[in-house]
Amino acid sequence: MSSGPASDHGPGLADRDAAEPDVDVAHLLGDLDDAQRLAVTSPAAPLCIRAGPGSGKTRVLTRRIAYRVATGDCEARFSVAVTFTQRAAAELRTRLGELGIRDRIAVGTFHGLAARQLRRHAEDDGRQAPDILANPSRLLDDLLRAGESPQTLRTELDWCAARSVRPVDYPAAAAAAGRRTALAPGRLAELMAAYDHKKRRLGLADFGDLLQRAAERLERDSAVAEAWRWSRRHFFVDELQDLNPAQLRLLRAWLGDRSDLCAVGDPDQAIFGWSGADRRILDDFASLFAGATVIDLRRNFRCSPSIVALSAVLREDSTPAGTTSRTAQSVTDPFTEPVPLVVAYPSAAAEASGVAKAVRSARAPGERWSAQAVLVRTRRQVTELTGALESAGVPVRVADPDATAGAEDPDAVCVSTMHAAKGLEWPVVHVAGLEEGLVPVGGAERGASLDEERRLLYVALTRARRGLHLSWARQRDIPGQPHERRPCRWLAGLTEVAAEERRLLYVALTRARPPPSMRAPAEPLVAALEAWREQAARAARITPTAMLSDRDLAAIAENRPATVAELGVITGLGASRLDRLGHELLAVVAEHSPAGGVPSA
């Protein structure tokens, strides 16, 4: 077993490990870096590819499948690609089709493939497949007493299915896992047993039953297992960090004693432990699958360097907040990759309004609204932010975690919970509600739950390619009563890194351009800025230079910023003053710029 980053394997390993194929695969390898190429061409099996955000994991997974098919190392009709949502499965199919592999590989979710397997077994046995209970609400409602939460019961049923926990064992298992629920564990166990009995009596199976029954059939019937495995020989699994014990059991049943498995995952994006996922399956891959090789993809191709530096605060192997190996010389263009902004608002209402304003400002001329997303921790916040955006005239769509993307998608800003945003990306992302009690959510202040909340915020930040806006409210109504709020525990570190990134960008900018000179205000923009400063200072009852220093005024006149981010880079204005004054200053600049136009973010 070998493990560790790709660079540990030494130069040229991909070429040594994989003999030069007889077919032309240049189109599959030409645009990959060394680590990606190794992950695509390595003959290792089982193989685990640990791939961080923006590292091209879907590209590598689909290229590996196409490469193996193209070189004759596997047959498409005997291959299975497994993921966790219909949306992700649709993307895999699309990408494989673009690579010339069409409708021959079995692509689906664990539940979808299990249902397909059970239907096939039923046909072979000459019996009817079980009816699948897509929505168990009606059955559950009949079992509950007045005031008992159906959502609590559904959540715990899903957790038990993921962990293969029987109703009789639930109280002990829940206590060991630290589950805290609105219903007593004993009552939940009683309800679960009644639900199972009712399903059997009606001949129904829910999604949890699909995994269990599919695994059991292969485990107990060797003839059926042998026939099934003959037609399914090569397995490719996405998002391994989200695997739960029931899915691992089914995967092992599918594989049997074979080792042709390639799995992709990222431990820093393990955010579904509350629903039964077990990141230890990824962490312990080498011990779970004998002879395994592990390859790391570390380079982030998606996010700007500033976002990479910021999000590193939340990784398990991050350096202390405020430290970075980046220098002013390594900084990219601050006008195309603005520094992340961190803004505190006086109230939740002010935050919602401010986020809506920031979304409007961040829309570049001609850019689609769908280039932006607003991410929050809870569904209640989704409703609040959606209302504020619509009131500001911003078109909105609420994310469906299992929807498939397509040309028919509306041109609208996506408002989503952080969980539903996993696997997606946007040029600009606004993350709101970064307060204790929301991030981390109440009840998740310690241990594994706290670690998962930290990873969830990491996922949220790394959805952004170039623009990132973070915010929180000093006061929020919970429920209906105003409560003073505190910034989330990770915000100080994020703010410190953002300030360092801003300093580096400012240094890079001033090195690239001569310092502004205080010329006579003959230029119309200088005169307009001074007039604005006089009026704003008079209204605030402060001196003009306290409102905006001479140096900042000259820098604005010389550099003519078009976005709030640019304005922040070239001046000494802090985040709160940028939020309060930035749009007025940009309007003055836009009015006196040669091309005119409307300022953006």
Side-chain angles (χ1 to χ4, degrees), residues 162-494:
R163 296 277 176 166
S164 298
V165 174
R166 299 179 304 169
V168 68
D169 299 324
Y170 171 75
R179 306 284 290 182
R180 293 191 289 180
T181 62
L183 293 175
R187 174 60 177 159
L188 282 167
E190 175 187 325
L191 289 167
M192 291 174 184
Y195 172 64
D196 282 351
H197 175 74
K198 194 168 187 177
K199 282 188 300 178
R200 287 194 299 271
R201 182 167 55 84
L202 296 174
L204 299 173
D206 61 18
F207 288 140
D209 296 327
L210 295 177
L211 303 182
Q212 178 182 341
R213 294 185 186 186
E216 285 178 347
R217 184 61 190 270
L218 298 180
E219 290 166 350
R220 73 168 187 262
D221 192 328
S222 59
V224 168
E226 183 178 357
W228 183 258
R229 292 166 184 158
W230 181 87
S231 61
R232 289 153 184 83
R233 307 175 189 176
H234 320 288
F235 283 87
F236 304 86
V237 180
D238 195 11
E239 304 289 6
L240 188 66
Q241 78 281 347
D242 295 336
L243 218 66
N244 62 46
Q247 291 161 336
L248 176 63
R249 177 188 178 188
L250 179 56
L251 178 61
R252 285 188 173 281
W254 283 340
L255 281 168
D257 59 359
R258 300 166 302 170
S259 61
D260 197 342
L261 169 66
C262 172
V264 181
D266 179 12
D268 289 317
Q269 296 188 70
I271 59 174
F272 291 107
W274 54 272
S275 65
D278 190 344
R279 64 169 278 178
R280 292 175 298 181
I281 296 170
L282 172 59
D283 293 340
D284 299 339
F285 186 89
S287 58
L288 290 170
F289 298 94
T293 294
V294 179
I295 295 174
D296 281 341
L297 303 182
R298 292 180 174 176
R299 184 177 177 187
N300 187 325
F301 294 91
R302 174 196 304 155
C303 305
S304 72
S306 289
I307 295 173
V308 171
L310 194 77
S311 60
V313 172
L314 301 167
R315 296 189 62 212
E316 286 186 338
D317 61 350
S318 65
T319 54
T323 66
T324 176
S325 61
R326 280 159 50 71
T327 65
Q329 287 80 7
S330 69
V331 171
T332 54
D333 184 354
F335 297 141
T336 59
E337 296 180 352
V339 172
L341 291 175
V342 183
V343 180
Y345 291 95
S347 67
E351 182 187 34
S353 176
V355 169
K357 187 176 180 182
V359 167
R360 292 192 63 89
S361 298
R363 187 188 182 204
E367 188 174 48
R368 291 172 60 85
W369 287 108
S370 56
Q372 297 188 66
V374 178
L375 307 183
V376 290
R377 178 62 181 84
T378 67
R379 291 188 180 93
R380 176 182 176 184
Q381 293 169 275
V382 169
T383 302
E384 294 170 350
L385 268 298
T386 297
L389 288 163
E390 290 174 340
S391 297
V394 176
V396 174
R397 71 174 180 90
V398 176
D400 179 347
D402 206 33
T404 56
E408 72 281 1
D409 284 352
D411 181 19
V413 172
C414 178
V415 182
S416 172
T417 63
M418 297 177 185
H419 282 101
K422 185 173 178 292
L424 301 176
E425 60 182 81
W426 297 268
V428 179
V429 171
H430 308 258
V431 185
L434 295 180
E435 307 148 24
E436 290 291 310
L438 288 175
V439 182
V441 75
E445 294 90 358
R446 61 181 64 86
S449 297
L450 180 61
D451 288 340
E452 187 159 303
E453 291 290 307
R454 172 180 50 77
R455 293 194 295 269
L456 180 59
L457 182 54
Y458 174 76
V459 168
L461 301 192
T462 53
R463 299 311 91 198
R465 295 181 203 154
R466 58 175 173 80
L468 186 60
H469 183 280
L470 311 180
S471 63
W472 67 285
R474 300 184 187 278
Q475 190 177 82
R476 191 176 295 271
D477 290 352
I478 306 176
Q481 296 294 323
H483 284 71
E484 295 298 318
R485 311 290 288 172
R486 293 182 293 115
C488 91
R489 63 195 66 195
W490 300 294
L491 198 56
L494 296 173

Side-chain angles (χ1 to χ4, degrees), residues 534-542:
E534 290 285 344
Q535 182 178 2
R538 191 178 307 113
R541 297 184 178 180
I542 58 177

